[in-house]
Amino acid sequence: MLRFLLMRIASAIPVFAILSLVTFAIIQAPPGDYADYIKSQLINQGGASYAQAEAQAQAYRVEHGLDKPLPVQYLNWIGGIVTRGDFGYSLYYNKPVADVVGERLPRTLLLALVCHLLASVLGISFGIWAATRQYSWIDSTLSAISFLGMTVPRFLMALIIVYLLVFQFNVSEIGSFFSPQYGGAPWSWAKFVDLVKHVWPVVAIATFGGLAYNMRIMRGNLLDTLNAQYVETAKAKGLTGGAVVMRHAVPNALHPLVMYQGVVLPYMLTGEIETAIIFALPTVGPAIVGSMAVGDVYVTATFMMVLSATLIVGNIIADMLLVLLDPRIRQFGER
């Protein structure tokens, strides 16, 4: 098992390196940089002439290394990460990129993990429920819910909820995690309840999409598994229906869902990103969009690398779960 894990980690290192290069190149591909953003601000709001603004923008490029060729900028950025743990300096937020990531990433990951746990537990449970009651009204209702969860865009659901909260229920505290009186207060039950009141739309929308996928896949896999010969043999031995489903059918039907866990965390992060942008929560989503809009390349590249890292780590975790779930994979890996 340890050897298998080390091999997966070793194979992930060159993949991560290639992803960092491709990500940095794609982010830098559009014309313009943060110096151009400064130039536009000087002209539009500062009243500077084009020549003055261009001179200040060029001086800013030289000061922050934005005038260097793209390969040199990439090597400086990746070299700082590897040698000093320095992800660069955010030109827009005027602080180290590590501070920007440290402020927003933990709460984003926490939201994504909560959504993932809810989507997995509810989706797998509903999938089992629907498969064991095929063609009943329960199966039809759950299938309709799954269809809506996979087809309705998350940003549309977020816009509808924002409209209902603001214009129908007169909710004014949109765009924050806490009410003003709980912002700097120590943790308490009242503060936790206040947090739930602020983030439940984001959690509900991101969970709904993952729940729908898990339910649909679990239902289809379980229906196929219930028709397998070994399940019929278990029934012939006198096992009850519940024992046959839970002990024999469900573990084998879970395999595709376990493989799906390799991409589910980035999926949940992007689901959170879409809804967080609509609700203007201070998480990863608005930071990515804001940094891309002004050309703050190091913030954008770092956050995109975080998403890539979650994909790689998620696939490693999925492989390990499959090894634990299916002894045949473990025996094949030891050969």
Side-chain angles (χ1 to χ4, degrees):
M1 177 72 76
L2 180 59
R3 179 185 176 187
F4 180 79
L5 175 61
L6 293 176
M7 290 178 60
R8 292 292 288 111
I9 294 175
S11 62
I13 294 176
V15 174
F16 193 74
I18 294 174
L19 284 174
S20 69
L21 177 60
V22 173
T23 300
F24 195 84
I26 292 176
I27 293 172
Q28 292 277 46
D33 54 18
Y34 191 73
D36 289 315
Y37 170 75
I38 292 178
K39 181 173 66 175
S40 65
Q41 293 294 102
L42 290 173
I43 295 174
N44 297 328
Q45 299 182 13
S49 65
Y50 180 85
Q52 293 173 335
E54 177 63 29
Q56 293 191 40
Q58 186 60 31
Y60 192 89
R61 290 190 184 95
V62 173
E63 180 182 358
H64 292 85
L66 300 179
D67 61 325
K68 292 181 172 58
L70 180 61
V72 176
Q73 292 186 45
Y74 170 76
L75 291 176
N76 290 338
W77 176 62
I78 204 70
I81 295 175
V82 174
T83 59
R84 305 185 304 275
D86 181 10
F87 292 86
Y89 193 82
S90 172
L91 308 176
Y92 179 73
Y93 292 99
N94 196 26
K95 62 175 68 173
V97 174
D99 293 344
V100 179
V101 175
E103 292 171 357
R104 295 173 177 261
L105 184 60
R107 61 187 65 166
T108 306
L109 287 175
L110 183 59
L111 280 176
L113 289 174
V114 170
C115 296
H116 169 49
L117 291 176
L118 291 174
S120 298
V121 173
L122 295 176
I124 292 174
S125 300
F126 288 161
I128 296 173
W129 198 16
T132 53
R133 291 162 178 80
Q134 189 179 16
Y135 302 130
S136 66
W137 68 269
I138 294 176
D139 184 25
S140 300
T141 302
L142 293 177
S143 297
I145 293 174
S146 174
F147 175 78
L148 290 175
M150 298 188 67
T151 55
V152 178
R154 290 185 289 263
F155 74 88
L156 178 60
M157 290 189 283
L159 288 173
I160 293 173
I161 292 179
V162 168
Y163 172 80
L164 293 175
L165 290 176
V166 174
F167 295 101
Q168 301 300 320
F169 297 99
N170 298 319
V171 176
S172 59
E173 295 179 355
I174 299 292
S176 61
F177 282 96
F178 300 102
S179 300
Q181 64 269 27
Y182 292 107
W187 277 102
S188 63
W189 177 251
K191 184 174 182 178
F192 174 76
V193 172
D194 185 71
L195 173 64
V196 173
K197 290 180 180 179
H198 284 77
V199 302
W200 73 263
V202 177
V203 174
I205 293 169
T207 298
F208 190 42
L211 179 153
Y213 183 90
N214 285 326
M215 180 167 60
R216 181 177 180 181
I217 298 301
M218 188 65 196
R219 178 187 179 275
N221 292 338
L222 188 56
L223 286 175
D224 291 339
T225 306
L226 288 174
N227 294 323
Q229 185 175 2
Y230 69 89
V231 174
E232 298 296 333
T233 302
K235 293 179 181 178
K237 291 181 178 180
L239 294 177
T240 62
V244 171
V245 172
M246 300 307 298
R247 291 175 54 188
H248 296 275
V250 169
N252 288 286
L254 282 174
H255 283 197
L257 282 177
V258 172
M259 296 176 62
Y260 169 64
Q261 305 312 303
V263 297
V264 70
L265 189 53
Y267 173 80
M268 286 296 174
L269 281 173
T270 54
E272 183 278 331
I273 286 172
E274 293 177 16
T275 52
I277 291 173
I278 301 298
F279 284 90
L281 288 178
T283 55
V284 166
I288 292 178
V289 175
S291 61
M292 291 180 66
V294 300
D296 195 356
V297 60
Y298 298 119
V299 172
T300 307
T302 300
F303 277 125
M304 296 305 296
M305 290 307 302
V306 168
L307 292 178
S308 301
T310 58
L311 179 62
I312 293 174
V313 172
N315 276 285
I316 294 176
I317 294 175
D319 290 342
M320 300 304 296
L321 290 175
L322 280 174
V323 169
L324 294 174
L325 186 64
D326 193 339
R328 294 172 297 181
I329 299 177
R330 188 185 312 120
Q331 292 174 0
F332 177 79
E334 292 175 353
R335 293 179 181 177

